[in-house]
Structure formats: structure tokens, C-alpha cells
Amino acid sequence: MPSETSPTARALRTLEILQTRPGTTADELGARLGVTERAARRYVEILREAGIPVTSLRGPHGGYRLGRGTRLPPVTFTQTEALGLVMAVLDSHPEADDLVSTALGKVIRALPEDVGRQAATLREHASAAPDRYAARPDTAVTSELVAAVAARRRVLVTYRGESGSEWVAQVDPWAVVVRYGRWYLLCHSHRADAVRTYRVDRVLAVEHTGTAFTPPADLDPVAALEQHLGTGWQFTTRVVFAAPLADVAPWIGAQMGRLEAAGEDRCVLTGTTRNPAMYAQEWLASVPFAFRVEDGPELREAVAALAARLAAAVADGLLADGSLADGPR
């Protein structure tokens, strides 16, 4: 914090830190406030003198915590924070439904006039194109899943698959991950006895069981999601690239499957997909190395169709019926 920050501002900042990071030690508090440990303890005492219950515990899991029943002051935003909030809402909810629009309006109206004016202007005049791949899940369902993740409690989920069929699965919810506008539940499914990724917008209901679980100690939710998005789908894929593994790897997302070396100047990508056309057009076509689809008739057909369409795009002239020529004339 700036050296000229007032004691009152530091006391309020202390309250904010303890609210968001329970268990903060005096050393950590001093570092965040830009003061000594002794001064940090003094700001804690100021909060206590103001009637705010702050408890302290010694030991490796100790630190300062706000007591139960603490009445916190209204949330305040700087101009930068307020604009960042509006930008985030526009970015993630470009078509802003009634729920989000109402909530954002309340936040803007509660801001100080000078800050709120800028946020309101940004909201009024900035526009964002909707993401055609985004699929917004039910708010209540998402809340139940997040609560189960935080509590590490097993749940029963009623799920509707892409084909429209429905089933109930007992899962250990490891994490909720947002990827390119879509919300996923990364979990261990006891129904399949395997790791699964479920689209949260296809979860119809969540029932808590009260049974505890322990997630993997080294879990990286984003990496695990990417890995499992490339397995377990209907159509198999096997693609050989005429380039070394180190050159191809930066172009291959984990959702495309497993990439392995096949000699010094070749590598093989194996996996599965639910959408061969997307696999060919959006993923394989972007890789700047020669490749051959060795397995997966559906993917071979999709690549052939894409190749024909691109070849037609550079063909000369039109046919007699006005359609594009099939090739150079």
C-alpha cells in the first residue's frame, strides 16, 4: 500500500484480508499492508476495539480469523475494479439474461457516483458477440455442484446425454471447470468406475449423499479435463504426423488424444472424438505439418470432405448450372 495510506484505510484493508483469507498470520498481514508485524497486530486491535470479533490461534494452522456473527461493511470497488467487473460480465455473458443483468445493475447503482458513472457508460456502449459454442448451465444446479466440490461430498446426478437419454450416476465431484464458454464437472463416476467429464448444462438434478471422498492429491482440474475430453468418445482416431514429436506437440491439445513419438521424424496421435467434422476442421487443419489419418473411418471421411471443399474453393470458373467447379479447368 502507498506510504501515505491512512490508519483507517489500513484497518479496513485488514478487515478485507481477514474476510477473504482466514488464517492470515501477523507476518503475512504486515507484508500485505506494507507495515511491520507489530503494526499489523495494532490494526487487528483497532478492529477489535471497533467491536469486530477477531480470533487468533497459534501453531501451523493458526493465524487471525473473523469471529462468527461479524457484521462487515458494504463492499466497495475502485474504478478499475468496477470496470473490470463489467468487462468480465460482458465477456462471459454477452447476451446477459435477466438474472445477470439485474445483478449487474444493482452493483452499478450501489457504486459511488464517479465510479458508477464510468461502469454504467461501459455497460451501455460496449457490446460483445455471443459465443455460439457456449452453453449456460442452470444456476441452482451449478451452485449445488460447487457446494459438493467444496465440501468433498459425493452426489447423485441426473444427466441427459447428447442423444437425449437420461441416467443417474453417483459421482465424486472433483472440480467445476469453465472451458471456452462451457461448464464441465470433472468427477469420478462410480457408475463407470472411471474419471468422467459431464457438461453441467446437461445435469438435470443434483442430490447430496453426505458421503465424504478425497480427491487426488496432485489434481490439476484444467489439465485433467483437457486429458479426459480426448477419451471415451464414440469415434476412434489415429493420425500420423511427418514431423518430430517436439515440433508437433505445441499444436496438439490434450482433448485431441495422446501424442507419442514414432521415431525421430514421426509421431502418432491416438484418441477419440464425438464430432469428426470438428476434429478435422478446427483441430487437424490448424496443424502445419503433413499428416495421414490411418484409423477412424469417420475421421477419414471428414478429412476427405474438408479437402474437397478447400480444393473447390480455388477451382477456376463455374459449372453450367452456376455451381462451383469440382477442380481446375
Side-chain angles (χ1 to χ4, degrees), residues 243-287:
L245 174 67
D247 293 343
V248 178
W251 297 89
I252 305 299
Q255 73 277 9
M256 296 175 67
R258 179 184 294 274
L259 185 66
E260 299 176 303
E264 293 185 358
D265 59 352
R266 286 180 179 273
C267 55
V268 179
L269 174 65
T270 56
T272 62
T273 181
R274 67 179 180 86
N275 191 331
M278 181 184 69
Y279 197 103
Q281 296 173 21
E282 298 188 13
W283 295 344
L284 283 183
S286 66
V287 181

Side-chain angles (χ1 to χ4, degrees), residues 174-299:
W174 291 351
V176 172
V177 183
V178 184
R179 179 182 182 274
Y180 300 136
R182 285 186 174 172
W183 294 63
Y184 295 89
L185 172 67
L186 177 68
C187 62
H188 175 82
S189 169
H190 292 272
R191 180 175 184 265
D193 192 23
V195 177
R196 287 289 184 263
T197 54
Y198 293 135
R199 288 259 301 270
V200 178
D201 60 292
R202 291 181 181 160
V203 176
L204 305 179
V206 179
E207 180 182 344
H208 296 265
T209 67
T211 303
F213 71 88
T214 302
D218 57 349
L219 178 65
D220 181 335
V222 175
L225 176 74
E226 292 285 348
Q227 176 184 350
H228 289 284
L229 282 177
T231 61
W233 298 108
Q234 179 180 0
F235 305 110
T236 60
T237 61
R238 178 180 171 85
V239 182
V240 177
F241 293 93
L245 174 67
D247 293 343
V248 178
W251 297 89
I252 305 299
Q255 73 277 9
M256 296 175 67
R258 179 184 294 274
L259 185 66
E260 299 176 303
E264 293 185 358
D265 59 352
R266 286 180 179 273
C267 55
V268 179
L269 174 65
T270 56
T272 62
T273 181
R274 67 179 180 86
N275 191 331
M278 181 184 69
Y279 197 103
Q281 296 173 21
E282 298 188 13
W283 295 344
L284 283 183
S286 66
V287 181
F289 301 101
F291 64 84
R292 175 183 293 277
V293 181
E294 288 195 342
D295 189 23
E298 296 83 6
L299 180 60

Side-chain angles (χ1 to χ4, degrees), residues 27 39 44 55 77 101 107 112 125 145 147 165 214 236 270 273 279 287 296 304-305 313:
D27 283 340
V44 171
T55 61
F77 297 97
S101 180
V107 171
H125 295 287
L145 290 175
S165 60
T214 302
T236 60
T270 56
T273 181
Y279 197 103
V287 181

